[in-house]
Amino acid sequence: MPKQISFHPKAAMVLSAGMGKRMRPLTATTPKPLIEVDGKSMLARAASRLKEAGLETCVVNVHYLADLVENHALKFEGLNVKISDERAELLDTGGGIKKALPMLGSDPFILKNSDSFWLEGVKPNLDLLVESWDDDKMDMLMLLAPTVNAVGYDGKGDFLMDNDGRLERRDERSVAPFIYSGTAMIHPRLFKDTPDGPFSLNLLFDKAIENGRLYGVEGDGLWLHVGTPQGLHDAERAIANSAN
């Protein structure tokens, strides 16, 4: 059960440096975070959620079509936007966050993928995430989406969750009830002893699981993953249906 909030993060990072290969041909001239869903870029949607949740600093990493992403991000109002420059080398998800840690500070921070978001339910999901954080037992807290009704997702799920919220990966031969939604709360201590240069966030997932410190909370509402042109179509249809 969510407990009384003892800490509220001030900083967040939106991962925005990827090549967007699965979104081609749309990403030939437009970086994936700037692709519009129902008239608003995915990066702007992420920034709006962070602002609504009371975040103050937003770090955006850039690599592919970096100038376009940077110029777009620096126009966001109500957030202190900082650019983590990966023009020289794309650092993958884990390496990109590690490079940005000096901008994020020493406290737990929010991480968001730019290509997934929620049609919110009764309770805003970032509020749910923050309220569920327990620094004594967690290094990472994932916002999870149910596999069965996720929009734009056709995989077998990512994680199993016990009654306490602790996560473990699904067996390769099985199906899991929950997907990592691309949103999480992370303590910087999880990056201790990680490699320099590019590495995947999956390394940190495994590290936290090994230490029994990877937890999850099921989100409220409908999760939309915009990873392909078909996913974009499905997301816009889901948004239109929700307005009816």
Side-chain angles (χ1 to χ4, degrees):
M1 292 292 293
K3 57 187 179 56
Q4 185 175 358
I5 300 175
S6 57
F7 169 79
H8 196 292
K10 294 182 172 59
M13 182 169 185
V14 182
L15 294 173
S16 307
M19 302 292 290
K21 293 180 180 179
R22 295 178 64 225
M23 283 292 280
R24 290 175 179 171
L26 299 178
T27 49
T29 56
T30 303
K32 185 176 176 182
L34 270 56
I35 290 175
E36 293 189 352
V37 181
D38 194 36
K40 188 172 185 177
S41 77
M42 291 191 279
L43 185 53
R45 286 181 175 275
S48 294
R49 290 297 189 208
L50 295 173
K51 182 181 175 182
E52 291 166 4
L55 278 292
E56 299 173 4
T57 296
C58 177
V59 178
V60 176
N61 63 336
V62 299
H63 174 79
Y64 178 62
L65 299 175
D67 290 351
L68 295 178
V69 178
E70 180 173 354
N71 291 337
H72 188 68
L74 291 175
K75 294 176 183 177
F76 297 150
E77 297 181 353
L79 286 169
N80 176 22
V81 177
K82 299 181 179 181
I83 302 298
S84 183
D85 193 336
E86 295 181 32
R87 286 176 173 86
E89 182 183 24
L90 184 59
L91 294 172
D92 205 343
T93 48
I97 301 166
K98 184 174 181 177
K99 176 181 171 65
L101 286 179
M103 302 180 189
L104 292 164
S106 58
D107 292 325
F109 59 90
I110 299 294
L111 176 70
K112 281 188 65 64
N113 291 351
S114 58
D115 63 357
S116 58
F117 54 94
W118 295 80
L119 297 181
E120 299 278 29
V122 175
K123 188 176 188 66
N125 280 299
L126 287 181
D127 291 350
L128 177 64
L129 192 70
V130 172
E131 289 178 10
S132 302
W133 177 260
D134 186 335
D135 201 74
D136 291 336
K137 65 182 183 180
M138 301 174 181
D139 285 337
M140 181 185 296
L141 176 64
M142 292 180 170
L143 187 63
L144 300 173
T147 307
V148 291
N149 64 351
V151 174
Y153 178 83
D154 59 2
K156 296 182 178 180
D158 298 320
F159 294 101
L160 306 172
M161 182 167 57
D162 69 15
N163 292 334
D164 193 38
R166 188 179 285 110
L167 301 182
E168 62 180 57
R169 288 189 184 272
R170 70 171 176 87
D171 182 275
E172 289 185 2
R173 296 162 292 180
S174 65
V175 175
F178 295 108
I179 313 157
Y180 168 50
S181 73
T183 298
M185 190 164 168
I186 306 174
H187 197 291
R189 63 183 167 236
L190 188 55
F191 287 82
K192 184 180 179 182
D193 299 325
T194 52
D196 295 326
F199 67 90
S200 171
L201 197 55
N202 276 293
L203 180 70
L204 298 181
F205 296 169
D206 292 339
K207 180 181 178 182
I209 289 172
E210 183 179 348
N211 295 326
R213 296 181 65 84
L214 181 66
Y215 283 76
V217 59
E218 183 176 349
D220 188 19
L222 184 64
W223 181 62
L224 311 177
H225 176 56
V226 188
T228 63
Q230 182 61 47
L232 174 61
H233 172 75
D234 293 343
E236 292 193 320
R237 183 173 58 187
I239 291 171
N241 289 341
S242 72
N244 294 333

